[in-house]
Every structure is written in structure tokens, then in C-alpha cells.
Amino acid sequence: MITDTKEKIIECAKLPSKNEIKLYDTFDINDKNVTEFTHIIHKYPSKFIPQIPRWAIEEYSKVGDLVLDPFLGSGTTAIESLLYNRHAVGFDVNPVARLIAKVKTTPIDPLKLEECYTNLIININADTNIKENVIPDIPNITKWFTEESIYNLSRFKYYILQIEDQDIKDFFLITFSAIIRKCSNAEYRSQKTYVSSRFRKPPADVFKMFDRRFHQYLKGMSHLYNSLRVNNVSARVIASSAADFSLSDITEEPKVKVDLAITSPPYVTAVEYPAVFKLEYQWLDFFADSEINEHRKEYIGSDRYYVNQYKELQKTGLEQLDKQLEDIFKVNQKKSYIIYKYFEGMRKNIQCVSNVIKNNGKYVIVVGNNTVLNLEIPISEYLIMFAQQAGFELETIYSYIIKDRHLVFPRNGKGGIINKDWVIVLNKVN
Ligand SMILES: C[S@@+](CC[C@H](N)C(=O)[O-])C[C@H]1O[C@@H](n2cnc3c(N)ncnc32)[C@H](O)[C@@H]1O
């Protein structure tokens, strides 16, 4: 471990143990391995690096414990929990996230996957008919996809849906989902799904792309499958809101409580998941185009509000936050309301976790502060205050530098770029 005192950044290969971490330390983690096991499966915006839940699991839980991630996303916490022989449970409102997380945490015999893939390709090659009945009703679909991509995607989808084994079918559906953006005319690198009018990206070939992803994912799955052979644990992915759940949603066993909770919640006014997954929702038959706006309301951090909701200034009871809400309200009433609703959602989430976690259980929240209308919102500080009201005390807080530029995204307000995340460890005391 090298400490650069000028920058006060501590370089390390692995995060040190909890006893060696001082309040407000900043780490630069050099371990670039973030795609091991099934972590490689599917892109997901604002994933956290596996090293963070891994650290929390090693420090604050033991074999056989139950680990909750209330904003599960693509399942990073759940994979690490299984690998460390802990049970995992998680919620998410995004159906694509839930399917990715389910696939990433369901070990499947790689030989079965290979056999199934061979049959899939044989079936598709033997049948040259377009499968009209599985093509989603995407408005103006030929803006989004070439005729050739639609033709090939329809054949893949049709034959994947014929697979009988549900776990194997889900694995192939996620492989299919992972190639949709690449095989469309939409920009690949941007989070929002849009077709550039200036430069039309050539769509990738469906067969080649599927083959590449399948082999990458197969390798990750073999690794997971072999590593979990001796572990007697499982993961559950639940379609529910992180701001409204109780113990009965998590476990049917009367005396069991959550031992450890780890999460990276959404950031205020940051990723619009429904805008990211617009095409995947429709090809996977989760939502029709006309239903996506309604679905946006389910997200903490959503901006789907009407004038009559935000014309009055709202207060949270936290003095410093209310002052910021007032300042923002003077310039932009809607933004003020969006931030208010974000913190209300997070407050409810922290209360729900407090209700289901055992005494002395830890809630580890990974979050960045962001800038709205040139105003820095210290999300981490406000979350600590809400947590104190909900029966937690602050155990420790440190930060780490975000390395992967794909995980760093501009925020509303000029130049609001998050380049480090805070790790807040809360201890349940009463
Ligand atoms: C920053 S991402 C989590 C990423 C995750 N740690 C991973 O590694 O993939 C936040 C997640 O919160 C989810 N989310 C937003 N509002 C939610 C709500 N009300 N209930 C449950 N999940 C929600 C989003 O769908 C998104 O997957």
C-alpha cells in the first residue's frame, strides 16, 4: 500500500481490513479485474466494482449469512455473496436488471449450454423464414434496425423461446438482450438509446455478435459453476420496490433476519434506466413503447412529475437539505421536487432495511455526490442523517476513485462528473 500524502489518496491492490481504514480515507484500488465469473454478463449502467461488495461481505458477514441488496441492478452483490458462501436476496424495479441478475446467479452446467447453443444455431440455419410473430411493435422500427437485423433477431428470439429449460432459456435471452444495442442503428456507447442523424453506426452482424457474447458468457458461467459446486447457498431476485418491503418479502422463515445489506442506490437525476433499455424492453416483451413512460415512475430518482406536483416547495426536515431544495426551487421548481422525491425514496429505503436487519447488522451504501444546477448535493451526508433517524449509527465512511470512464457519467448541471464514490457503513443499533 503506497500513500501519497499530497493527494491523500491511498493506492492499494485490495481494500484494507476495516480496522485499518480511517474515517474519510480515499483509496485508489488497482485491481482491474471486474469481469471475472458471471460479472462479465451484460452491460449495466452504474454497476459497482465487485471489490466493494466483496470487501463488505468479508468484513461484516460469515458463511451461511443472508445478504440483501435492495437496489440489486445486475446482481454484483448477489454473485459475490454466493462466491463467499452467503445467501443473497435483492430487489429491483427494472425487469432487465432482474433477468440479468437471475442469470448471473444461477449456475448452469456449461456442457448443457454448449449443447443447447449448437442446437439453436442448427435450428436457426435450417429455417430461413422471418418470424413476424416475435418482432416487437416498436414504432418506426426501421429507424432503429436494418431489415437484416430484424430478420436475424426474430429468428434468434423465436428459437430461444422454444428452449424448454427455463434457466437455460433465460441465459440465452440475456445473451440475446446483450446484442440488441450493438445490432441496432442506435449509438452503442451512449446511455440513452438514440440513432445519430449525423453518423449512422453500422449495426453488428447478429450471428457473429451472438457467438462472441455466448462464448464470453459461457466462460464466465463455467467459472461460476465450478466455484459454486461445494457451496450450499442460493440467490433470490424479487420484483419489488426498495422503498416498500418487509421481512416477509425476503424470507418465510420466522426467525431469520438480514445479516448484512450492501447497495449502490441510484444517483439523483442520473441514469434513466428505462431510456437505456428502451429496445431491450421491447424485444424481451417486458414493455410496449407506450408503457415505458409509466414504468419510469417506479424509479427512485425519476423525473416523471407533473406541474401540479411540484409547484409547492417540499421539505424533508433536514435543515441543510431543505435550504438546498429552497435555493433550487427558486430557479427550477421541478428539479427541487425531483431531489425531494429522491431523498424521500431513500429515507423509506433506509427505514425498510432498518426493519429487516438484525441488531449490529451493517448497511453498506455506495454512493457519489452529484451536482444539480451547479449546486453540489452531498448525498452521502444526507443519507447518514436519515440513517441516524432510522436506528443506525455511522460505523465508518471512506471513498474510492472510480477508474472506469464508462462508469463515470455527466450529471445535470454543468460538468457534474462523479469521479469518486463514498462507501458508508452503517451499524444497526436500535
Ligand atoms: C446504481 S444501480 C445498481 C447497480 C448494481 N449495484 C450493480 O452492480 O449492477 C441502481 C439500481 O436501482 C434500481 N432502482 C431504482 N429505483 C428503484 C426502486 N424504487 N426499487 C428497486 N430498485 C430501484 C435501478 O433499476 C438500478 O438497477
Side-chain angles (χ1 to χ4, degrees):
M1 208 153 77
I2 311 160
T3 310
D4 180 341
T5 42
K6 206 169 80 209
E7 295 283 331
K8 292 205 174 61
I9 292 173
I10 303 165
E11 279 190 35
C12 58
K14 185 178 184 236
L15 281 167
S17 79
K18 56 180 188 265
N19 300 332
E20 292 174 58
I21 295 180
K22 291 200 244 21
L23 277 181
Y24 298 103
D25 271 350
T26 299
F27 295 98
D28 186 353
I29 309 165
N30 290 328
D31 180 358
K32 295 196 178 63
N33 206 344
V34 293
T35 53
E36 269 183 301
F37 302 98
T38 44
H39 289 302
I40 186 139
I41 294 179
H42 216 290
K43 265 176 71 147
Y44 199 76
S46 298
K47 268 194 212 190
F48 53 17
I49 51 169
Q51 285 78 357
I52 302 300
R54 188 177 303 157
W55 173 85
I57 290 163
E58 281 191 289
E59 294 295 324
Y60 297 113
S61 70
K62 57 182 191 316
V63 170
D65 273 358
L66 176 61
V67 180
L68 163 71
D69 186 340
F71 298 96
L72 183 64
S74 62
T76 312
T77 301
I79 299 168
E80 290 297 317
S81 303
L82 296 184
L83 289 169
Y84 281 82
N85 220 344
R86 277 73 161 156
H87 294 281
V89 62
F91 301 110
D92 209 287
V93 289
N94 180 358
V96 174
R98 292 197 300 271
L99 191 59
I100 301 172
K102 187 248 165 170
V103 167
K104 284 175 155 194
T105 55
T106 306
I108 305 174
D109 184 344
L111 293 176
K112 284 192 188 162
L113 288 176
E114 276 181 294
E115 188 190 324
C116 197
Y117 181 58
T118 307
N119 290 335
L120 182 70
I121 298 300
I122 290 173
N123 285 335
I124 293 169
N125 282 329
D127 178 357
T128 53
N129 294 326
I130 185 164
K131 302 295 175 195
E132 299 281 1
N133 61 331
V134 298
I135 299 173
D137 194 8
I138 300 177
N140 206 359
I141 191 166
T142 48
K143 171 185 131 185
W144 298 102
F145 297 93
T146 60
E147 299 283 352
E148 191 186 346
S149 287
I150 298 171
Y151 166 64
N152 285 329
L153 287 170
S154 79
R155 290 154 72 213
F156 266 88
K157 178 174 168 187
Y158 180 86
Y159 280 103
I160 290 171
L161 291 178
Q162 313 284 315
I163 299 171
E164 277 176 18
D165 182 305
Q166 189 64 49
D167 291 342
I168 296 182
K169 187 196 288 183
D170 288 344
F171 177 92
F172 282 101
L173 278 175
I174 277 305
T175 312
F176 176 74
S177 171
I179 70 164
I180 289 172
R181 183 78 87 91
K182 275 255 174 189
C183 298
S184 76
N185 301 328
E187 288 298 303
Y188 184 64
R189 293 237 162 257
S190 93
Q191 290 200 344
K192 196 169 154 56
T193 315
Y194 79 101
V195 177
S196 166
S197 50
R198 286 194 306 153
F199 169 70
R200 270 227 163 172
K201 170 208 100 183
D205 178 85
V206 170
F207 280 84
K208 282 195 192 138
M209 209 55 230
F210 197 95
D211 189 69
R212 187 183 307 165
R213 289 285 176 264
F214 170 74
H215 284 99
Q216 285 173 334
Y217 297 177
L218 178 71
K219 201 167 150 210
M221 182 54 85
S222 309
H223 204 172
L224 184 86
Y225 182 77
N226 290 325
S227 303
L228 294 188
R229 269 168 199 268
V230 289
N231 293 10
N232 190 19
V233 284
S234 60
R236 273 182 70 207
V237 180
I238 302 170
S240 187
S241 173
D244 183 17
F245 64 88
S246 62
L247 207 49
S248 60
D249 297 310
I250 294 174
T251 169
E252 282 161 14
E253 291 185 45
K255 288 202 179 117
V256 171
K257 280 201 150 193
V258 168
D259 297 285
L260 168 66
I262 309 169
T263 209
S264 60
Y267 295 72
V268 62
T269 70
V271 182
E272 272 279 353
Y273 288 93
V276 176
F277 291 107
K278 181 185 162 77
L279 300 177
E280 291 79 358
Y281 281 162
Q282 296 180 78
W283 272 104
L284 294 180
D285 300 321
F286 284 127
F287 298 111
D289 194 68
S290 57
E291 293 166 335
I292 294 178
N293 269 343
E294 194 55 30
H295 170 60
R296 282 169 64 187
K297 294 182 186 161
E298 294 181 60
Y299 289 74
I300 289 182
S302 163
D303 63 359
R304 290 294 295 168
Y305 299 112
Y306 304 110
V307 184
N308 63 342
Q309 289 175 284
Y310 57 75
K311 60 182 183 224
E312 305 253 320
L313 174 64
Q314 301 292 331
K315 293 195 169 189
T316 62
L318 292 186
E319 204 183 319
Q320 191 192 334
L321 173 56
D322 287 345
K323 173 80 181 67
Q324 287 204 304
L325 290 177
E326 203 178 328
D327 290 345
I328 294 169
F329 187 81
K330 286 179 199 148
V331 190
N332 188 326
Q333 298 183 347
K334 187 175 180 186
K335 277 260 144 65
S336 175
Y337 189 72
I338 292 169
I339 299 168
Y340 161 76
K341 287 296 282 183
Y342 170 81
F343 282 106
E344 278 302 288
M346 286 309 300
R347 192 181 54 73
K348 288 185 186 150
N349 164 260
I350 293 170
Q351 187 59 58
C352 287
V353 174
S354 174
N355 297 344
V356 301
I357 204 161
K358 67 174 193 192
N359 261 346
N360 269 324
K362 307 291 181 280
Y363 187 15
V364 180
I365 305 180
V366 180
V367 74
N369 297 333
N370 66 314
T371 307
V372 177
L373 300 171
N374 286 334
L375 221 91
E376 161 110 15
I377 313 277
I379 302 181
S380 50
E381 285 174 33
Y382 295 144
L383 295 187
I384 293 169
M385 292 179 202
F386 285 126
Q388 283 161 342
Q389 293 175 352
F392 287 101
E393 64 182 15
L394 181 64
E395 176 89 4
T396 191
I397 175 168
Y398 65 87
S399 62
Y400 67 95
I401 306 289
I402 305 174
K403 291 278 195 39
D404 184 345
R405 298 300 299 169
H406 299 303
L407 298 179
V408 182
F409 41 89
R411 297 304 149 83
N412 286 358
K414 289 192 190 94
I417 298 228
I418 294 174
N419 59 10
K420 75 182 192 178
D421 267 342
W422 290 98
V423 179
I424 307 167
V425 181
L426 304 163
N427 181 35
K428 173 73 193 296
V429 280
N430 52 49

